């Protein structure tokens, strides 16, 4: 099937108590690893492209690689989504250029300015058959060139969501409930330590999520910053010459709980980066004579596939839902 919007997949996810994974794509191996996992597990998927990805890989290459995936996996619903669009112009360029979904992230602006810009994007997108994700509240972490220090994030205010959605007409809403971008989601000071000395992050604010759901019944909620930064991968990176001290993510069980509620889209990028990098570092250390990129990119692509398969089954619950 051709690229789809997220309308149908979110409706099914909402009713079915699962979430669709939204994975960032930056090159061919990532597109292939993700879609191979989705094909085998019969899972719908959102492939998302950031401003940084477009600058790195080029808009047309990314669109054509994702279109190639729809040809290889004709039975899997695949949406092509702009991640963190920060202006009308970027959103328009993706709407005109083959995307089926865009995010306008005006969450750093005032409530009124966020509404005005989101509404402008929604009008253009809907005229062109494209859906729009908006955001209220700010996450900590790094996304493109925006850095929000841990402790300076602000949770979504449930009392604002109804007005925001009705005035903008957006199709889904990203909210801030304590997730965060990147591989360093919390400072050690924000965490506690368990008996083995492992950092334990503060729990997600399910009260905020439930407050939003009460005010927006049936409406799809999105969680950004939802990598779990599995420690076994951090260990491999560090063992083979990397330096990722105190990297920490969101516990998978909490994301699974959110997926059973109104959270229909869960964004994961850092865990894919981590899986690829751990694989490449290990391969290079163990095979110092290799210089053909296929030798280390093949296992790296497999590592992406394994990570995505794990997310589909253990976090999202989207297996068999294509
Ligand atoms: O939220 C940000 C995503 O992880 C994309 O990251 O802007 O470095 O491509 P990027
Ligand atoms: P992570 O950094 O937790 O993978 O989040 C990715 C994301 O939210 C992309 O928009
Ligand atoms: Zn994000």
């Amino acid at each position: 099937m051709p690229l789809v919007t997220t309308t149908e997949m979110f409706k099914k996810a909402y009713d079915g108590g699962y979430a669709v994974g939204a994975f960032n794509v930056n090159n061919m191996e990532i597109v292939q690893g993700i879609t191979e996992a989705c094909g085998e597990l019969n899972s719908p998927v959102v492939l998302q492209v950031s401003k940084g990805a477009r600058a790195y890989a080029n808009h047309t290459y990314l669109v054509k690689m994702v279109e190639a995936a729809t040809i290889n996996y004709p039975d899997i619903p695949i949406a092509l989504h702009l991640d963190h669009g920060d202006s009308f112009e970027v959103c328009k360029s993706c709407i005109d250029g083959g995307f089926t979904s865009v995010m306008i992230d005006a969450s750093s602006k005032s409530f009124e300015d966020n509404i005005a810009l989101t509404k402008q994007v929604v009008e253009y997108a809907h005229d062109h058959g494209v859906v729009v994700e908006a955001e209220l509240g700010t996450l900590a972490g790094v996304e493109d060139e925006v850095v929000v220090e841990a402790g300076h994030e602000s949770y979504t205010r449930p009392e604002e969501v109804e007005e925001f959605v009705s005035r903008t007409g957006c199709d889904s809403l990203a909210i801030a409930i304590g997730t965060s971008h990147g591989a360093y989601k919390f400072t050690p000071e924000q965490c506690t330590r368990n008996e083995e000395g492992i950092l334990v992050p503060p729990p997600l604010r399910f009260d905020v999520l439930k407050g939003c759901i009460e005010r927006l019944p049936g409406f799809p909620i999105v969680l950004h910053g939802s990598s779990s930064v599995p420690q076994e991968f951090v260990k491999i990176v560090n063992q083979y010459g990397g330096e990722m001290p105190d990297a920490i993510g969101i516990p998978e069980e909490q994301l699974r709980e959110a997926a059973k509620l109104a959270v229909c889209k869960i964004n994961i990028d850092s865990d894919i980066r981590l899986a690829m990098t751990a694989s490449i570092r290990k391969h290079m250390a163990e095979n110092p004579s290799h210089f053909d990129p296929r030798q280390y990119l093949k296992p790296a692509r497999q590592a992406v596939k394994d990570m995505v398969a794990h997310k589909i089954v253990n976090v999202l619950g989207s297996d068999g839902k294509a």
Side-chain angles (χ1 to χ4, degrees):
M1 69 182 90
L3 287 169
V4 298
T5 72
T6 53
T7 308
E8 192 59 29
M9 57 170 88
F10 286 175
K11 196 186 169 337
K12 283 172 73 181
Y14 197 105
D15 295 343
Y18 63 91
V20 178
F23 302 100
N24 289 71
V25 296
N26 290 280
N27 66 17
M28 183 190 75
E29 286 74 14
I30 296 176
V31 172
Q32 290 178 334
I34 296 167
T35 51
E36 267 181 42
C38 295
E40 274 178 25
L41 290 165
N42 206 30
S43 170
V45 70
V46 177
L47 298 179
Q48 57 187 11
V49 167
S50 69
K51 201 172 140 190
R54 288 174 91 223
Y56 171 76
N58 174 295
H59 175 98
T60 308
Y61 279 83
L62 290 164
V63 171
K64 294 298 168 194
M65 283 192 293
V66 170
E67 284 174 0
T70 67
I71 294 168
N72 258 353
Y73 299 99
D75 301 330
I76 301 300
I78 301 177
L80 174 56
H81 173 75
L82 168 66
D83 191 26
H84 294 287
D86 60 356
S87 66
F88 176 78
E89 289 69 30
V90 173
C91 292
K92 180 178 183 302
S93 149
C94 290
I95 293 164
D96 295 344
F99 284 45
T100 55
S101 173
V102 293
M103 174 187 195
I104 175 67
D105 180 358
S107 59
S108 60
K109 298 187 186 298
S110 70
F111 186 66
E112 285 301 325
D113 289 353
N114 189 349
I115 288 181
L117 181 51
T118 301
K119 196 166 180 300
Q120 187 191 7
V121 172
V122 167
E123 278 165 10
Y124 189 80
H126 286 182
D127 276 350
H128 293 78
V130 169
V131 291
V132 178
E133 173 186 326
E135 179 167 334
L136 256 189
T138 48
L139 275 67
V142 183
E143 79 207 23
D144 275 327
E145 61 267 25
V146 182
V147 181
V148 180
E149 298 286 338
H152 289 77
E153 67 277 22
S154 56
Y155 299 115
T156 303
R157 290 155 50 86
E159 58 275 25
E160 289 182 346
V161 297
E162 217 176 334
E163 181 184 350
F164 183 85
V165 168
S166 69
R167 285 178 60 193
T168 59
C170 66
D171 302 280
S172 60
L173 184 67
I175 62 169
I177 61 165
T179 59
S180 161
H181 288 108
Y184 303 90
K185 300 193 184 299
F186 306 98
T187 62
E189 295 72 43
Q190 290 176 300
C191 303
T192 51
R193 285 194 192 267
N194 68 12
E195 316 79 62
E196 293 136 46
I198 308 271
L199 291 173
V200 179
L204 293 182
R205 290 287 302 273
F206 276 86
D207 57 323
V208 174
L209 172 59
K210 286 178 181 161
C212 294
I213 296 172
E214 267 168 35
R215 289 163 173 91
L216 292 174
F219 193 78
I221 303 288
V222 176
L223 286 189
H224 282 246
S226 296
S227 279
S228 296
V229 192
Q231 291 303 304
E232 59 270 34
F233 289 86
V234 176
K235 221 183 237 174
I236 296 171
V237 168
N238 289 337
Q239 184 183 345
Y240 292 101
E243 280 182 24
M244 295 188 69
D246 293 331
I248 185 165
I250 310 294
E252 290 187 340
E253 323 77 69
Q254 292 182 36
L255 296 166
R256 185 70 197 97
E257 282 313 304
K260 288 180 189 159
L261 303 173
V263 172
C264 295
K265 172 173 177 274
I266 292 189
N267 284 16
I268 298 170
D269 184 6
S270 297
D271 283 353
I272 288 183
R273 298 176 177 191
L274 188 56
M276 268 195 115
T277 300
S279 166
I280 291 171
R281 279 198 176 277
K282 183 167 187 292
H283 184 94
M284 291 303 210
E286 289 175 349
N287 300 278
S289 65
H290 284 185
F291 71 101
D292 178 344
R294 292 172 297 188
Q295 290 169 311
Y296 55 87
L297 289 176
K298 193 173 171 190
R301 177 174 59 193
Q302 180 67 39
V304 172
K305 178 181 174 183
D306 294 345
M307 177 63 81
V308 170
H310 172 83
K311 298 290 176 185
I312 288 172
V313 173
N314 296 287
V315 177
L316 303 159
S318 63
D319 43 316
K321 312 291 189 189

